[in-house]
Amino acid sequence: MKLETNIAKQIKVSAQTMFMDEYSDTYNKKYMFSYKVKIQNDSSETVQLLNRHWIIIDSNSKQEEVQGAGVIGMQPKIQAGESYEYISFCNLETNFGSMEGEYEFQDQAGNNFLVQIPRFFVAETLNELAKPSFRRGQMVKHKREGFRALITDYDMYFINDEELYKKSSSQPAKDKPWYYLLIDGSNSISYVAQENIELDENQEDIEHPLVDFFFDGFSDELGYYKRNHKTWEQLKSG
């Protein structure tokens, strides 16, 4: 495996981070961070990302190494002059840490080489990415279809079934947050793009059989439903 090649020097890796307070439990020393990586291929060849190797260190000097194939389940090919971006997550026991590592690529001739991921930092006070416009527990209304709903969870970008996306006539942005909604007055759950929802001024209770499973009731102090720590996997196994 070659580390220093002309192609390797022309592939640039950068990252932006965000502290995910809603998915963290700071009392129990659980801090979740989101990070968005951009890989820019400034070479004259198409390259494919094969493997990743991360070194993650928290502020207590606890080190974790993560190795595996590709990123977010894919081994993308990046054309000459183009870039590839993805969002992923890490959990720490402290509110500050660093990440660095390397990607293994393959060029058009079948040669493997490494590209360094420069060290970057994650911190509770460092928010380089735009936070989602809505939070779990808020009541929203679909701009196009008009139904009321309750946000139970969200993804930082579209990660659902591609067939589901194709059914959407508006073709909303995939690289913005998507929300899991409990639809009022039904048993239905919907997956909706951020651009298609708005806050609902109607403060009437949401009627859905899963409200009591995922929420500890409406909080007058917070102004939205208080989300508990139950997960979809717990629901499936119940």
Side-chain angles (χ1 to χ4, degrees):
M1 182 181 295
K2 298 177 292 183
L3 175 59
E4 292 296 333
T5 70
N6 288 332
I7 296 178
K9 294 177 182 178
Q10 296 178 74
I11 296 176
K12 310 299 181 184
V13 180
S14 58
Q16 294 176 297
T17 68
M18 183 185 76
F19 173 59
M20 302 191 70
D21 56 325
E22 284 191 74
Y23 289 91
S24 298
D25 183 358
T26 57
Y27 181 80
N28 291 306
K29 297 181 179 180
K30 296 179 180 179
Y31 298 83
M32 177 175 279
F33 299 92
S34 172
Y35 59 93
K36 182 178 183 179
V37 175
K38 180 178 181 179
I39 305 170
Q40 177 68 42
N41 179 11
D42 288 331
S43 76
S44 59
E45 289 193 30
T46 296
V47 298
Q48 183 174 15
L49 195 162
L50 300 180
N51 297 295
R52 70 189 185 281
H53 174 210
W54 285 104
I55 300 173
I56 306 169
I57 305 174
D58 68 19
S59 56
N60 289 328
S61 298
K62 180 180 178 180
Q63 179 172 312
E64 178 184 5
E65 292 197 42
V66 178
Q67 300 185 63
V71 291
I72 59 170
M74 294 184 285
Q75 294 178 310
K77 291 184 178 180
I78 310 175
Q79 304 292 323
E82 296 187 358
S83 63
Y84 176 78
E85 297 181 352
Y86 72 94
I87 294 177
S88 192
F89 309 89
C90 75
N91 282 291
L92 297 182
E93 294 179 359
T94 65
N95 65 352
F96 177 81
S98 67
M99 299 181 65
E100 61 189 287
E102 58 195 13
Y103 293 125
E104 180 184 356
F105 284 89
Q106 187 174 85
D107 63 21
Q108 294 176 187
N111 300 309
N112 290 9
F113 61 94
L114 298 178
V115 171
Q116 297 298 309
I117 305 171
R119 178 180 299 173
F120 61 90
F121 298 96
V122 294
E124 186 175 0
T125 56
L126 181 63
N127 290 296
E128 301 166 318
L129 293 173
K131 283 186 172 288
S133 298
F134 307 98
R135 64 177 301 127
R136 297 184 299 171
Q138 285 185 320
M139 292 179 283
V140 295
K141 183 170 65 176
H142 197 287
K143 293 180 181 179
R144 297 166 62 89
E145 301 179 21
F147 62 76
R148 299 177 66 236
L150 180 62
I151 298 174
T152 182
D153 278 304
Y154 62 83
D155 298 321
M156 290 295 291
Y157 60 99
F158 182 89
I159 60 171
N160 217 307
D161 190 339
E162 189 65 25
E163 290 302 315
L164 177 65
Y165 181 78
K166 292 178 180 178
K167 292 180 181 178
S168 174
S169 58
S170 63
Q171 298 292 290
K174 287 185 174 181
D175 60 349
K176 306 293 184 183
W178 283 67
Y179 297 81
Y180 297 88
L181 307 180
L182 306 182
I183 300 178
D184 183 39
S186 76
N187 296 333
S188 301
I189 302 168
S190 188
Y191 189 60
V192 180
Q194 179 167 278
E195 64 189 70
N196 285 336
I197 59 175
E198 60 187 2
L199 284 178
D200 182 23
E201 297 180 359
N202 184 350
Q203 291 297 299
E204 292 183 11
D205 290 343
I206 296 292
E207 295 184 8
H208 191 284
L210 294 181
V211 170
D212 291 337
F213 181 84
F214 287 115
F215 296 91
D216 294 332
F218 185 85
S219 170
D220 292 323
E221 180 181 355
L222 297 174
Y224 51 84
Y225 284 80
K226 187 176 180 182
R227 184 68 161 87
N228 58 37
H229 296 293
K230 292 180 180 177
T231 67
W232 293 97
E233 290 302 319
Q234 287 175 289
L235 175 65
K236 294 174 185 177
S237 61

